Structure formats: C-alpha cells, structure tokens
C-alpha cells in the first residue's frame, strides 16, 4: 500500500482545494455586496411601453410623478403651464386668435428647437387664418383634420410640458380637451462622418451620429427589407431618454429578445448619459474585466450583427450602438475581414490573434525570462541582454513597470493633446524618453523593444474597449510573472481561460465556438472562410432562420 | 454577510502584501552563465597551489581539474570606453578536486555571481583523464544536473582540455567557436555528427563503444582532428582514428554525405572527386555463430579537380578509369578504418551492432554482452559503387 500517499499530501491537497472554494465565496460575496445595478422588480421605468415603429419620441409614455390631467379649460391649463415652466427664459408663448373660428390659442415652443421660418410662415399662418371648426373637431384631432405630418395629442399636462421643453411645438386651443404636439424638435445636427474609433480602409465611410432618429434611419437605409424591427423604450428616472432595440424579426431568437427586453425594462438610473451606462447596467458580470456588450459606431457592423441574429441597442444622444450578445472572437474581428478577399483577411485575422497574445503576455514573458528562466533565452541573446542590463539597477519587474506606466501615461495624454501638438509629443515621449532612459541606464534597450511591440500590438485590436481590457490584464500578468515566473504566467493565462469559459453574454458562452465546441462556427473564427462556404448563420445564436443563402 | 466578508478581504490583501519576495527570482545579469566545461587530470592551478601552501584547502584527492568558461565578463563603468580591448569576452575559472559539483560550489567562494549551467554548450574531456577515469564517472554529475541541457556536446581533447577553452582571437568565445565549427559538416565529413549528452547517456548505460570528436590545440587554435574511440565495457579512451578514418566512419554510419576523395591518376597527377551523395547500407547475416556483414556504399559525385593536362578525363574510357581509381582509394580508406576498429581497438563504433540488433534480433541477443569481441572477429565485406556524374564547368 506504499502508493497511497501520507496524510501530509492529503492535507496539502485539501489546502489546495480550499483556494478555489475561497475564491468562489469571495467572488459571490463581492458580487452580492455591490449588487447587479439592475432593479430586481418594479423598476423606475415600469411603464416603458413598447411602441412599434420609428416615431419613438412620440410614444405615449407617462413620466414617473403623478401626472396632471388636462382640465379642458383653456385658461386654467395655460396658467398651469405658465406656472410650472413659464419661468424658463427660452420658452415662448405665442398667443393668437384663430380668426375663422374665433378661438383663443397659444403656440408654445423653445427657442432654437424649431425652424423659425416654418413656424412663422406656415403653422401660424394656417392656424390664424385658415383653420376651420371642422379641422379642429374632436374626431379629426390626430387624423386628417390638421395638415401636419407629425401630430399627436398629449395625454396629460406633465407630458405636454416635458415634450415642449424637449423641443416640440405645443399647441393649446380654446375648446379642445387636450394639448397638441405638432412639430418634432429640429435640433442642430452634425454632419455624418467617418467613425473615429473604428476607421477602415475599405468599407462605408459612415458612422452613427448623436441623433437617434438619424441612426435608426441609417439602419433602415441599409437596404430594402420589411423584417427589420425597431422597438422604442424610454428610460431614466429623472431625465428620460429614448432607447431603440433593433433586430431582424424573422432571424432573432425570441428567447434572447425577451431577455434583452427584460433587462432594458429594468434599467434603473436617473439619466443615461451614454450607451456605456446601458452596457454596464445590462451586462451579465460586472466583475469581469471583459466586456459582454459590444459597442460600435459603424452601421455596417450593426446590420451584419443583426443578420447573425444579434440585437442592437441604440441610445439617443450617442453615436455608439450596442450589440448583444457578444463573443470573444467578435472583439478581434473587423468588418474589413469580410470586405477583402478571404485569404488576406484570414492572415490578418490570425495576425490580430497573435498581436492580442503579445499585447497581453509580452511584458510578463519578459519578466519571467529575465528574472526566472535565463535558460530559456538563446545563448547569444542572453549574452547581449546581460551586457545591456549590467548597468540597470532595478529588477526586471520595476524596469518593466517604469516603462509600461510611462507609455500608458503617454497614451492617456495623447488622447487629450491638442491635434497640432499630438504627433510632436508622441515623438518626444516615445523616442526621446525611450532613448534617454536607455542611455541613463534605467531600462535596457531590449525592454524598449518589448514595450514598443506590446503597445503597437494593443493598437492592432479593432475594438478600443477590448484593448482597454488587455491593458488592464497586462499589468495583472506582470504581477503574476513577478511572483512566480513562467509558472505564474501560465497560471495567469489559465485563469483567464477558465474565467472566459465561465463567462456568458446574454446566455451565450463567451468563448463559443471554442467552448462549447461548435465546429461549424470555426469557419469564422481564426480564419475567415470564403463567403460561399458560410451558408448558414452562426449556430451559437440559435436563430429562427439558419440559412444565409436561398 | 458583509461584516464577515470585509475583514476576510482585508486579511487576504494583507497576506498578498507580505508575499513580496519573488520566489526563486534571479536576475539574469546577476548570474554567471558558463558555456564551456573542460575536464583534465587533477593539476593544481597557480592560485590553488599558493592557497595550498598557505594551508587553505579542504579534504580532496585532486583527481580532476574542472575549468568552466564564464561569459560575459562583467564590464564596469560606462560601456562607451571599449577602445582599450584589454580583456577577452570570457573568463576561465579552474578548480581541482574529485567531485564536479563540489568544485563548482567551490567557485562560489571566489566569484561574485553564482554560476548556472543552462547555457552549457561544450564539454571537453582530455584523453589523458579518460584513460584513468571512465566516461560514466566523469559525466555522472553532468547527466544528473537539472540545469545542464541534454543537448550539450561532448568532445575529447588531445593534450590539456583547458587549452581548448583559450583562443588567440580576443573577440570570440572558444566554446561557442567550437560549437559553431560543427556547421562545417556540410562541407566535410571529417567532423563527426556531434555527440550530445542524451545520446551519450544511452551509450554509457548500454555499455557500447563509441567515437567522439577529437580536438587538438596548436598555437592557440583549436582544430577538429579525427576521432577518439571510447571502449564500451570500461568507458576508457583506447585510441584515436585519424582524419581519413573519421571521414570513412561518417560515411559508413550514414551521418556524413559530403567530402572529397583525392587519388593519383595514371600519370601520377592528383585528381579530386567531390561527393554529392552518399548512401551506405549495412546488411547483417548470421549463420549459426558466424556473423558477417555486407556493406554496400553508393556514391555519386563530380570530378572537380585534375592536374593532368595531357589526357581528357571526360572521355568515356578515362572516366571509368578515374572512377575505378577513386573506388580503389575509397576501398583503401575504408579497409584501413575497419582494420583499425577490428584489430587495434576491438570496438564497434560504426553501428554494426545496431544493424545486427535490428535485422537479426535473435543473433544479437546471443552476442549482446560481448559484442565488441564478436565484432572484432566478424567478417565484413564491402561493395562499392562510385559514379562520376559530371566534370564541373569547363571547356575542352
């Protein structure tokens, strides 16, 4: 029975087992400590009322505080409006008399939100001189009676106030039971341009803008189709904003859609400043360093994701649309992979995988080679490293940290540098500091190569936010390498792998198709197979309709 | 729940903060890599002699002197001042004793950096030492040590082994130089395929004879000069093969397929055959206790040099005549080598045993234990096939 180890070995095994258990408890505790950020039940925007179609802003949605109904009395309603929002200096009340029907009316609008010429010439002229009793009659209210294309009734005064302040032109007519909202806000809009964060050489030079209706129209304009469905929500407990869910009705998995709808309707925050808020509030695991929602400025990326059975979330006021669910491979794919021919695309994609690995591991490997395993370096290289490092007073960890941190500072500063100064500072920072640091004997020249390659590699990742993740994890990896050398580096890599295997984005495992293994999806993983081979949509999305080709 | 968790997190982070010692971390520049190891008969170095005279020593028998080649030498001051060129890029450290590891550890009381063996490339053993000690004894530590790679190469030197670790040229490291000289195997078969530690390990334990590349130093330059034969049973050095024998050995074992054969033609002018291809096959036959080998050697090549101006070699008759002469020369060389192995050394270093064990396993089983003895009595017949395919570029 000599092969049965002694109690000491069992004890060690028990202690080793304790570590993952402890980590798990710690993780769960931390998770419940912070909470998911989502309301469990009865969210702040419980009345997010899906309304189909594009005219999102007119969706009848009640605000949270108890709404005040229209009294039907013109003077009372007007005085209520004036008392609540009348102090705003940019709000105009244009009172006039409708000459044909001899009724008092008031047009309420915010300065700068309306086309003044149209307001004056057409609307006022029509209302003052041409509007008749029939066109104002109750049954013709939102119908053919009034010649405005965008016309709706406000169901209560609170909503009326909010809409007017948002930029609608409000109309209150004596004798009508409710206020009318006639013109949508014509806010100033920037010209559409190429997305800055995701520039491509080949592909449409069009990015989303800050206006939701423009973004949805860009999506619509991708092509003729009657299956692209957009549902609008309104979220925010203090300031409300429009959210649009876009998906292909006959492709998307209904369960996924339901899950996304549930999470969107549970958003509980006073204001959604950017789609990043939504991303953080609906993601599965906020303790993970990896993003579980993809953000993009590119409409072509969105439409392709929709065709794969994914769902896009667009928020008013930001050019970044969100795509769910996301898998790891998506972060390393660029739309250009599909626009160029398959052989070069596959090569470039594999290059990107290699670059990702380098961006993550290069400094960690450097530390473990230099400080722990000199035997793994080829002799000639070891000699030249020794010669260059003889004047370096620091251990390799400190050396790497000095250079890595300074290059991170340089990167962070580069974002904020004014455009004319940027390149000059890049040269000063990169070349001069690097060279001076080597000459001053703070770092070795070999390390400068490693750090430079790492920095360049991290820029080859098409998703900026994925690059951020790698930047973070690189430092963790360096810590592991500094503690345990190559063993730690491998341990770190295995930890990341096991974490990724566990991670899910909206029910889809993050590492599909690697784990769970789906062979047919490998066609579009490390290499991009010819389009003629990709006859089916990704299996992982479990779409209703699986064939891409007829 | 949170009340209990927070202290736990605090404790763990404190624990992490205390674990700042980087386990087994040794910066590369604080280590001394040695690329060469030379083993000689025990002979005290000057420094050691002086120390011994002062009575500073430890209990030992002075059986071997081990010299290691440490690179690079630590340069002090700024590296810009390299105009002086006073030092060599390597430093040889010697120690005498009777345990290799003990000698190695003894270096640590003299040098500032600990030595590591990851990059050991070349091990040179002097033939004199190998007469006294068996190769198994000398290589025992080297084979056991974790740091030393099994790809390190083993050579034999005539004369002191430590002399091979010194070079006239100040810009090169001799041990690296020796290793790089092996690249010339593409040009000559006088360099045997290198004996690496893992191969040596197998040979030592199976008690087989083998040949090691010989190193000879003359006037500060090291040259590959033939091969040394190490007898399997005893593990001692028994003798040398000269350069031509070594070349033949390479051809016979199929490890070398390059080289030249020079012969003298009918007018006694030298002519040279450059080998392009070489194939050798050993067939083992056994009837009863008698074992015989049939070796067929096929080679193709070109006639690359001739001093004969009177007769044209490329004409049909002359070509065949020349080929015959080369064949004759090859035969002469081969037979010389075989007779040396069979008669003088009684050691099979050419892989006849391997051929027998593969082709006639039953016969091999019987003679395995005293194979060198049996080999020396085995009949070996040769069949040659030498073809001259072309004559280089020339005009008639």
């Amino acid at each position: 029975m000599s092969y049965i180890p002694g109690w000491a070995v069992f004890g060690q095994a028990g202690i080793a087992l304790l570590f993952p258990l402890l980590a798990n408890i710690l993780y769960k505790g931390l998770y419940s400590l912070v909470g998911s950020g989502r309301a469990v039940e009865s969210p702040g925007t419980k009345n997010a009322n899906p309304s189909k179609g594009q005219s999102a802003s007119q969706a009848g949605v009640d605000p949270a505080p108890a709404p005040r109904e229209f009294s039907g009395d013109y003077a009372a309603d007007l005085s209520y409006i004036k008392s609540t929002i009348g102090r705003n200096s940019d709000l105009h009340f244009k009172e006039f008399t409708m000459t044909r029907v001899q009724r008092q009316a008031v047009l309420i609008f915010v300065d700068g939100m309306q086309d003044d010429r149209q307001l004056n010439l057409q609307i006022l002229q029509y209302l003052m001189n041409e509007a008749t009793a029939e066109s104002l009659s109750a049954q013709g209210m939102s119908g053919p009676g009034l010649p405005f294309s965008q016309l709706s009734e406000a169901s209560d005064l609170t909503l009326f106030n909010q809409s007017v302040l948002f930029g609608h032109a409000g109309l209150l007519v004596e004798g009508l039971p409710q206020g009318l909202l006639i013109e949508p806000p014509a806010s100033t809009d920037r010209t559409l341009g190429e997305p800055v964060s995701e520039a491509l050489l080949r592909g449409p030079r069009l990015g989303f803008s800050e206006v939701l209706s423009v973004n949805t129209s860009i999506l619509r304009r991708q092509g003729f189709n009657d299956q692209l469905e957009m549902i609008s929500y309104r979220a925010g407990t203090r300031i409300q904003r429009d959210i649009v869910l876009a998906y292909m009705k006959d492709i998307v998995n209904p369960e996924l859609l339901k899950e996304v709808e549930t999470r969107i309707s549970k958003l509980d925050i006073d204001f959604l400043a950017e789609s990043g808020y939504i991303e953080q509030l609906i993601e599965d695991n906020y303790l993970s360093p990896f993003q579980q929602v993809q953000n993009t400025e590119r409409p072509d990326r969105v439409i392709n994701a929709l065709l794969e059975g994914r769902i896009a979330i667009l928020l008013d006021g930001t050019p970044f649309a969100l795509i769910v669910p996301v898998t790891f491979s998506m972060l390393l794919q660029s739309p250009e992979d599909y626009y160029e021919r398959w052989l070069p695309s596959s090569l470039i994609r594999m290059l990107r995988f290699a670059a990702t690995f380098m961006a993550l591991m290069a400094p960690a490997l450097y530390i473990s080679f230099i400080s722990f395993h000199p035997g793994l370096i080829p002799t000639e290289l070891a000699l030249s490293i020794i010669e260059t490092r003889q004047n370096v007073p620091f251990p390799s960890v400190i050396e790497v940290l000095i250079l890595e941190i300074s290059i991170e500072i340089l990167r962070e500063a580069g974002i904020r540098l004014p455009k004319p100064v940027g390149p000059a500072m890049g040269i000063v920072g990169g070349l001069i500091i690097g060279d001076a640091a080597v000459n001053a004997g703070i770092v070795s020249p070999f390390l400068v190569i490693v750090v430079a390659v790492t920095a360049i590699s991290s820029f080859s990742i098409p998703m900026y936010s994925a690059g951020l993740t790698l930047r973070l994890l690189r430092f963790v990896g360096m810590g592991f390498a500094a503690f345990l050398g190559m063993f730690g580096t491998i341990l770190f890599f295995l930890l990341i792998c096991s974490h990724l295997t566990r991670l899910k984005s909206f029910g889809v495992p993050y590492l599909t198709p690697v784990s769970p293994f789906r062979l047919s999806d490998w066609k579009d993983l490390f290499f991009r197979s010819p389009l003629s081979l990709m006859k089916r949509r990704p299996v992982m999305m479990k779409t209703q309709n699986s064939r891409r080709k007829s | 729940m949170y009340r209990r968790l927070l202290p736990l997190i605090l404790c763990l982070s404190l624990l992490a903060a205390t674990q700042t010692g980087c386990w087994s971390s040794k910066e590369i520049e604080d280590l001394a890599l040695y690329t060469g190891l030379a083993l000689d008969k025990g002979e005290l170095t000057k420094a050691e002699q002086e120390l011994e005279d002062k009575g500073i020593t430890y209990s030992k028998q002075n059986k071997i002197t081990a010299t290691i080649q440490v690179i690079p030498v630590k340069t002090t001051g700024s590296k810009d001042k390299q105009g002086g060129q006073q030092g060599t890029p390597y430093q040889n450290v010697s120690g005498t004793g009777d345990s290799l590891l003990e000698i190695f550890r003894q270096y640590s009381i003299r040098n500032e950096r600990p030595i590591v063996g990851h990059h050991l490339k070349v091990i040179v053993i002097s033939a004199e030492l190998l007469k006294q000690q068996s190769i198994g004894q000398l290589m025992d530590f080297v084979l056991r040590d974790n740091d030393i790679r099994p790809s390190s190469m083993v050579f034999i030197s005539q004369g002191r082994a430590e002399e091979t670790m010194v070079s006239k040229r100040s810009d090169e490291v001799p041990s690296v130089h020796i290793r790089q000289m092996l690249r010339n195997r593409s040009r000559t078969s006088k360099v045997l395929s290198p004996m690496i530690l893992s191969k040596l390990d197998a040979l030592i334990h199976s008690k087989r004879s083998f040949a090691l590349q010989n190193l000879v130093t003359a006037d500060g330059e090291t040259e590959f000069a033939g091969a040394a034969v190490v007898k399997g049973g005893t593990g001692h050095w028994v003798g040398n093969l000269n350069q031509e024998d070594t070349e033949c050995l390479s051809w016979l074992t199929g490890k070398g397929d390059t080289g030249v054969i020079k012969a003298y033609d009918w007018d006694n002018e030298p002519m040279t055959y450059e080998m392009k291809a070489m194939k050798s096959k050993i067939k083992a036959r056994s009837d009863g206790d008698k074992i015989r080998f049939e070796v067929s050697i096929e080679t193709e090549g070109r006639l690359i040099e001739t001093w004969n101006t009177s007769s044209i070699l490329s004409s049909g008759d002359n070509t065949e005549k020349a080929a015959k002469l080369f064949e004759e020369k090859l035969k002469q060389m081969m037979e010389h080598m075989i007779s040396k192995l069979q008669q003088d050394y009684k050691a099979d270093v050419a892989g006849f045993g391997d051929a027998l064990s593969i082709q006639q396993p039953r016969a091999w089983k019987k003679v395995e234990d005293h194979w060198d003895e049996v080999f020396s009595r085995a009949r070996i017949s040769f069949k040659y096939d030498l073809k001259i395919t072309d004559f280089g570029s020339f005009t008639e």
Side-chain angles (χ1 to χ4, degrees):
Chain A
M1 298 304 264
S2 61
Y3 51 83
I4 294 180
W7 286 113
V9 175
F10 279 114
Q12 281 170 357
I15 292 168
L17 181 68
L18 224 66
F19 268 98
L21 291 180
L22 216 67
N24 197 29
I25 292 172
L26 201 70
Y27 169 82
K28 282 199 174 139
L30 201 67
Y31 205 91
S32 64
L33 190 72
V34 186
S36 72
R38 250 175 278 145
V40 184
E41 220 162 302
S42 73
T45 57
K46 53 182 168 280
N47 35 24
N49 185 13
S51 78
K52 309 219 164 174
Q54 258 194 62
S55 50
S57 48
Q58 264 115 42
V61 177
D62 294 342
R68 185 184 160 109
E69 297 295 327
F70 280 102
S71 65
D73 179 15
Y74 170 73
D77 285 342
L78 182 59
S79 68
Y80 174 75
I81 293 169
K82 278 193 174 168
S83 69
T84 47
I85 59 174
R87 270 178 64 83
N88 289 308
S89 55
D90 58 343
L91 197 66
H92 293 277
F93 292 84
K94 174 79 183 165
E95 292 186 55
F96 56 92
T97 314
M98 296 168 95
T99 47
R100 288 241 183 143
V101 289
Q102 282 303 321
R103 287 192 198 171
Q104 286 292 312
V106 62
L107 192 67
I108 314 165
F109 58 93
V110 174
D111 224 6
M113 296 276 232
Q114 294 287 335
D115 188 346
D116 283 344
R117 199 177 148 76
Q118 200 190 0
L119 204 65
N120 288 333
L121 282 180
Q122 289 177 290
I123 298 175
L124 275 178
Q125 204 172 18
Y126 169 80
L127 288 171
M128 288 170 83
N129 305 329
E130 290 167 32
T132 58
E134 299 89 68
S135 59
L136 284 175
S137 63
Q139 70 260 44
M141 276 289 274
S142 53
L146 291 169
F148 303 122
S149 61
Q150 303 262 350
L151 178 101
S152 66
E153 308 165 22
S155 55
D156 58 74
L157 268 169
T158 319
L159 179 73
F160 185 80
N161 284 351
Q162 284 177 354
S163 302
V164 166
L165 286 178
F166 189 66
H168 291 268
L171 179 66
L172 211 58
V173 183
E174 189 184 356
L176 286 188
Q178 281 169 323
L180 301 177
L181 300 169
I182 46 177
E183 277 293 314
S187 62
T188 48
D189 193 5
R190 70 173 166 96
T191 50
L192 296 179
E194 199 174 357
V196 183
S197 66
E198 291 165 276
L200 287 187
L201 280 180
R202 181 166 183 182
R205 306 235 181 276
L206 181 69
F208 284 128
S209 86
E210 279 77 10
V211 183
L212 183 64
S213 56
V214 173
N215 292 348
T216 51
S217 69
I218 288 174
L219 273 188
R220 292 269 182 219
R221 284 283 298 279
Q222 296 286 324
F224 289 102
N225 171 265
D226 59 351
Q227 295 296 329
L228 172 60
E229 200 163 72
M230 298 189 185
I231 301 187
S232 119
Y233 286 86
R234 199 165 270 188
T237 51
R238 181 58 57 187
I239 301 177
Q240 295 201 315
R241 256 191 172 171
D242 289 317
I243 303 170
V244 165
L245 284 192
Y247 53 88
M248 301 301 288
K249 201 164 58 181
D250 59 343
I251 295 175
V252 73
N253 184 337
E255 283 174 42
L256 171 69
L257 180 61
K258 213 171 143 207
E259 177 65 28
V260 176
E261 279 175 341
T262 326
R263 293 197 193 179
I264 289 286
S265 63
K266 281 184 180 171
L267 286 175
D268 184 11
I269 194 164
D270 59 351
F271 177 53
L272 294 164
E274 215 272 341
S275 55
Y277 278 65
I278 303 182
E279 176 179 347
Q280 291 166 63
L281 288 172
I282 65 172
E283 67 188 354
D284 294 62
N285 184 348
Y286 61 86
L287 287 178
S288 166
F290 291 91
Q291 58 183 79
Q292 294 129 58
V293 177
Q294 192 182 24
N295 58 295
T296 179
E297 280 188 88
R298 299 193 67 88
D300 51 340
R301 203 170 210 159
V302 171
I303 200 78
N304 279 317
L306 295 189
L307 283 170
E308 285 182 349
R310 299 179 207 270
I311 296 174
I313 302 168
L314 293 92
L315 178 71
D316 194 23
T318 175
F320 285 92
L322 303 177
I323 298 171
V324 291
V326 65
T327 52
F328 182 74
S329 59
M330 279 171 75
L331 306 180
L332 297 181
Q333 292 169 359
S334 158
E336 215 170 6
D337 292 354
Y338 302 93
Y339 303 154
E340 289 291 349
R341 300 181 62 253
W342 74 279
L343 273 174
S345 301
S346 302
L347 182 78
I348 289 171
R349 189 178 279 184
M350 281 188 266
L351 200 70
R352 242 180 258 139
F353 272 91
T356 309
F357 183 80
M358 295 236 280
L360 182 65
M361 304 295 268
L365 288 175
Y366 175 82
I367 293 172
S368 34
F369 281 148
I370 298 294
S371 296
F372 291 84
H373 311 283
L376 293 179
I377 316 172
T379 307
E380 284 78 9
L381 185 62
L383 288 186
S384 60
I385 290 176
I386 291 175
E387 269 161 22
T388 54
R389 266 187 63 85
Q390 266 173 0
N391 299 321
V392 178
F394 305 112
S396 62
V397 201
I398 307 291
E399 187 195 9
V400 174
L401 276 179
I402 288 173
L403 210 58
E404 275 288 343
I405 289 177
S406 51
I407 209 156
E408 290 297 332
I409 292 173
L410 195 74
R411 262 170 91 162
E412 189 57 25
I415 300 173
R416 263 163 272 288
L417 283 175
K419 266 213 178 99
V421 196
M425 283 310 286
I427 291 167
V428 170
L431 297 180
I432 299 180
I433 293 182
D435 192 46
V438 169
N439 283 333
I442 299 173
V443 297
S444 71
F446 188 65
L447 175 70
V448 177
I449 301 173
V450 171
V451 170
V453 168
T454 310
I456 294 169
S457 300
S458 69
F459 278 117
S460 73
I461 299 160
M463 293 294 307
Y464 176 71
S465 38
L468 285 180
T469 306
L470 291 183
R471 269 162 83 176
L472 165 76
L473 288 178
R474 185 191 308 153
F475 283 92
V476 181
M478 276 151 56
F480 269 90
F483 269 121
L484 297 168
M486 195 54 110
F487 174 65
T489 311
I490 293 168
L491 205 66
F492 165 69
F493 190 70
L494 290 180
L495 271 178
I496 288 184
C497 286
S498 60
H499 168 69
L500 281 177
T501 330
R502 241 184 122 242
L503 194 61
K504 278 184 176 182
S505 166
F506 287 82
V508 177
Y510 207 59
L511 275 190
T512 31
V514 180
S515 152
F517 187 74
R518 296 188 195 284
L519 187 64
S520 61
D521 287 355
W522 277 63
K523 282 183 293 199
D524 193 15
L525 183 66
F526 294 115
F527 56 92
R528 202 274 286 172
S529 49
L531 288 179
S532 52
L533 272 183
M534 295 198 278
K535 290 177 184 149
R536 292 175 179 276
R537 303 182 202 287
V539 184
M540 57 179 147
M541 300 306 304
K542 295 193 174 135
T543 50
Q544 296 175 33
N545 171 328
S546 68
R547 293 195 73 84
R548 274 181 188 277
K549 296 183 160 188
S550 59
Chain B
M1 182 72 184
Y2 310 149
R3 294 265 153 88
R4 272 189 295 140
L5 261 173
L6 275 174
L8 188 65
I9 295 169
L10 262 172
C11 280
L12 280 180
S13 49
L14 266 177
L15 197 70
T18 54
Q19 301 290 314
T20 43
C22 302
W23 290 324
S24 73
S25 159
K26 284 181 215 112
E27 301 297 319
I28 187 168
E29 72 271 17
D30 297 332
L31 299 173
L33 314 179
Y34 59 96
T35 54
L37 167 66
L39 298 176
D40 279 304
K41 260 170 90 170
E43 200 173 280
L44 293 179
T45 59
K46 228 172 116 194
E48 278 181 315
Q49 195 64 57
E50 274 178 35
L51 285 173
E52 206 134 292
D53 292 345
K54 287 176 188 167
I56 297 164
T57 182
Y58 62 100
S59 60
K60 57 180 180 175
Q61 290 174 357
N62 288 346
K63 278 189 174 163
I64 53 171
T65 297
T67 307
I68 56 167
Q69 185 150 69
V70 175
I71 51 168
V73 173
K74 196 156 192 166
T75 52
T76 44
S78 75
K79 57 189 168 177
D80 295 332
K81 291 177 195 160
Q82 273 186 343
Q85 280 289 345
Q86 72 272 48
T88 46
Y90 59 90
Q91 183 194 359
N92 288 353
V93 190
S94 296
T96 309
D98 41 31
S99 146
L100 203 46
L101 180 66
E102 197 178 30
I103 297 169
F104 277 13
R105 291 295 175 261
Q106 208 64 22
Y107 295 142
S108 303
I109 59 174
R110 276 192 270 162
N111 295 335
E112 79 274 34
R113 293 179 292 171
I115 55 171
V116 289
H118 298 296
H119 290 280
L120 180 60
K121 302 273 178 234
V122 174
I123 301 169
V124 185
I125 309 169
S126 80
E128 283 301 304
L129 178 64
L130 210 51
K131 261 193 233 170
Q132 287 180 354
Q133 312 291 338
S134 80
I135 184 115
Q137 291 170 328
L138 293 173
M139 290 294 103
D140 189 63
F141 164 72
V142 177
L143 288 170
R144 277 176 204 271
D145 191 43
N146 264 338
D147 281 1
I148 294 170
R149 296 283 167 83
S151 63
S152 307
M153 295 168 185
V154 183
F155 298 96
I156 302 280
S157 84
Q158 305 298 311
R160 298 283 295 173
E162 60 185 332
E163 282 167 20
T164 62
M165 292 291 155
V166 184
S167 171
K168 263 204 307 197
R169 283 178 264 180
S170 62
D171 57 336
E172 66 174 20
V173 181
S175 50
V176 177
H177 175 75
I178 291 172
R179 190 191 173 92
Q180 283 175 346
M181 268 178 13
L182 282 170
R183 282 190 225 153
N184 293 330
R185 288 185 59 231
S186 62
R187 288 301 162 89
T188 173
S189 292
K190 290 181 180 174
V191 182
L192 283 175
S193 80
M195 178 66 76
I196 60 173
L197 275 181
S198 51
K199 260 200 277 178
L200 190 72
D201 196 14
L203 287 169
I204 289 173
H205 286 288
S206 60
K207 295 204 166 36
R208 304 276 289 279
S209 304
F210 51 90
L212 290 172
Q213 184 69 53
N214 230 338
L215 290 176
V216 172
T217 320
D219 192 25
E221 289 206 38
T222 304
E223 192 182 281
F224 286 144
V229 176
V230 177
K231 189 95 166 144
T234 58
H236 288 307
W237 172 81
V238 287
N240 287 335
L241 295 175
N242 68 23
Q243 291 188 20
E244 279 177 2
D245 292 341
T246 310
E247 199 168 20
C248 282
L249 188 64
S250 291
W251 290 334
L252 186 61
T253 51
K255 297 277 170 54
D257 57 355
T258 51
V260 294
I261 302 174
K262 187 195 69 189
Y264 296 96
D265 67 1
W266 40 91
D267 295 333
N268 206 22
E269 295 282 2
M271 60 178 182
T272 313
Y273 167 83
E274 184 190 13
M275 205 173 275
K276 284 198 301 186
M278 161 63 85
K279 246 191 216 163
S280 68
K281 207 168 186 185
I282 302 175
K283 267 204 183 131
R285 301 246 184 272
S286 69
D287 25 273
D289 284 349
K290 274 194 182 156
I291 289 166
R292 87 199 138 78
F293 293 97
E294 286 166 12
V295 184
S296 68
I297 289 173
E298 283 174 41
T299 168
E300 269 181 22
R302 65 171 68 92
L303 197 141
I304 196 68
E305 193 179 356
T306 173
W307 286 25
N308 196 331
T309 45
S310 54
S311 53
I312 298 159
L313 276 168
S314 56
S315 66
D317 260 8
N318 284 349
T319 311
E320 269 176 31
K321 260 162 73 189
K324 270 267 136 21
L325 283 171
F326 286 127
E327 223 173 87
E328 200 57 42
K329 172 78 181 169
L330 180 62
K331 190 178 167 195
Q332 207 184 315
M333 284 160 70
M334 280 287 178
E335 270 162 11
H336 182 257
M337 189 264 293
I338 288 292
S339 78
K340 239 184 173 175
L341 289 184
Q342 282 191 310
Q343 264 103 63
D344 295 4
Y345 304 139
K346 292 190 169 48
D348 167 31
V349 300
F352 286 100
D354 287 334
L356 185 69
S357 69
I358 292 167
Q359 293 166 27
Q360 310 278 346
R362 254 183 238 139
W364 168 249
K365 273 268 161 356
K366 276 185 251 166
V367 298
E368 196 180 347
D369 297 332
H370 50 286
W371 168 242
D372 277 341
E373 205 63 26
V374 177
F375 166 74
S376 63
R377 280 181 276 112
R379 236 186 67 220
I380 300 169
S381 58
F382 284 90
K383 220 164 68 190
Y384 302 96
D385 181 10
L386 186 143
K387 247 186 238 154
I388 295 177
T389 53
D390 68 283
F391 303 87
S393 54
F394 73 109
T395 49
E396 254 172 58

